[in-house]
Amino acid sequence: MSIKSVILGTAGHIDHGKSSLVKALTGIDPDRLKEEKERGITIDLGFANLSYPDGLTVGIVDVPGHERLIKNMLAGAGGIDIVLMVIAADEGIMPQSREHLAICELLKIKAGIVAITKADLVDKDWLQLVIDDVRGFVKGTFLENAEIISVSAKTGMNIDLLKEKIKEVAKNVKPKLIEGLFRLPIDRVFTLKGFGTVVTGTALSGAISLEAPVEILPSKIASKVRGLQSHGKSVEKAYAGQRIGINLQGIDKESLKRGDVVVPPDRFIPTRVIDARLEMLADAPAVKSRSLVHFYSGTSETIARIVLYDKDEIKAGESCYCQFRLEDPVIVLSGDRYIIRRFSPLKTIGGGEILDPYPAKRKKKEGIEDLIILEKASIKEKIGVKVKKSHFRGCALSEIEGWIQGNIPEIKTAIEELVKSGKLIKSQDILMHSDSFNLFRDTVKATLGRFHKENPLKPGIPKEELKAKVPHTTHFSVLISLMPDIVVEKDIVRLKDFKVSLSHMDEGIKGKIISALNGDGFQPPMKSELAQKLSISEKEITDLLKLLVKEGAVIRINDSIHITKGQYDKMLNLLKDFYAKKKEMTVAEFRDVLGTSRKYALPFLEYLDSNRITLRVGDIRKFMLK
């Protein structure tokens, strides 16, 4: 992308002149609601943009300052790169100045500027006192070394200087993940006459083009990009870091709401359970495990039950790992930030980093070592531990891409390195940790070994029976294909070095079976009769007959009737002699040629028909062999 875009968000107490300052900077009044203009206060998010001659565009999100509207402020804070902390010279630091700064700290915003507004209303001495007070206020925060600029939206004092300082800071902002999956949390939904439904938001990652298919989560609504705007201009493609308006095809405004997310289809999974690192604010009340809190991420808000790991209570200024169990599904990635507020009365008490948006069930004895890696390690190590936690289920490559913040090439490179090092096994875009794969392989081999020992005459175990005896996985066939010492033949699985051989069988029994089948010509004993005659179980005679069939010594007519290869060859020769003299044969003639009964003649003929040796035409048979 040739043009850089960053997002600046205002912060500060009500009536400190945030919206007036935005209008002075951009010429755009961010207060768009009739009620806002009538009351002179910002109620909901407002938007503007500041464009520079060199192509830099700064999208501006103006947030409300009233304490009762913090949830609206939070909806606009998620994609902010730069904070413009606004403090009025005539009032100084106020409660929402503190709460907004605390929220920006928790969201780990890295850059900002402090604007002392209404500087025309106070004298120089008072202004200097306010500036000194502000320096103490931001000490120890990301704004500690930020520019503090006194301005007046009314007189235009230092507005151009502020524009230049915003430009300087914006040029040093770390670019967003343009090569990541597209993600746009919706902050506004409205309709335009002649166009239909439009949603707006700040693109957190990726890019989106006209006509691209999209999905709205968590409601799983499919749509298509009918139109695109960025910073007031129609575009064919929009990128992470831009304010974007998307005209969606075939969706009613009522189907969408703030907090929904526009994403590419089938790449993200809504979640109700999240593992996270929690940091409590220095003035926060203590929170007990299993308490209810308000949870904010992106533009979404829901209620969550917080489960603390390794402690029953967390106090002001403390930090710990925890799990949030959410009332409503959200779309978040590992690496996203979140805020929590007290359930009642509403007050910001903490926030932190989402570590695993789809955590596996955690047993107490497991510990939290994986969370330490997810918080502190490289993207490669994070992916390694995530795949390991999936155990035998494994992970699809697309699942990892929709699980963690990152550019897609970076994620793929990390996976390739893990595969190359032997830590991960990859096949058909399925990933499994080598520890899990080795355990699965050893279990499969041990199960097959036991089966072969207990069933020496069977060629192998049916696949479904094997699946029921080993750890459950949705990728059974893929994993089996990665095991060179295991063979799958149709639906039968066996160890490669296992060979079914008649040497396993007593040659005397073999001789007795052949002799018994030959004894009465074309009226051989049924399978059950054969078992009784040889004093062996029906299961054993079944296995022995299968083995003889595989060897070619016996022909299986149906499950009950078998004849020897010699008898079968004799049958074919008798048929050839008959058909040399006559073109058609009745069932009775066939019965008489073989010297058998109708009980056997019919199954024999059905076998010959199915093998295209004879062809049934009404009540007669024609010979197909030449």
Side-chain angles (χ1 to χ4, degrees), residues 225-290:
V225 177
R226 186 177 170 189
L228 269 179
Q229 277 205 349
S230 179
H231 306 299
K233 295 178 182 176
S234 293
V235 293
E236 290 191 2
K237 193 168 187 176
Y239 300 86
Q242 293 179 326
R243 288 288 307 165
I244 300 174
I246 304 178
N247 181 199
L248 292 169
Q249 190 176 78
I251 299 183
D252 295 331
K253 175 188 169 187
E254 290 70 28
S255 303
L256 307 175
K257 65 183 185 304
R258 176 179 286 174
D260 289 343
V261 186
V262 183
V263 294
D266 305 318
R267 301 308 296 272
F268 294 87
I269 305 169
T271 182
R272 277 192 167 93
V273 182
I274 290 166
D275 277 349
R277 161 65 82 175
L278 171 63
E279 302 165 37
M280 296 292 284
L281 293 177
D283 61 348
V287 173
K288 291 183 177 179
S289 188
R290 307 196 72 79

Side-chain angles (χ1 to χ4, degrees), residues 181 183 215 217-218 220 263-274 329-333 357-358 386 393 396 398-403:
L181 292 178
R183 195 164 48 124
E215 185 177 29
L217 295 178
K220 298 183 180 178
V263 294
D266 305 318
R267 301 308 296 272
F268 294 87
I269 305 169
T271 182
R272 277 192 167 93
V273 182
I274 290 166
V330 296
I331 315 305
V332 290
L333 297 186
Y358 321 119
K386 176 59 180 174
R393 184 181 69 83
S398 59
E399 186 182 336
I400 295 295
E401 292 171 353
W403 169 76

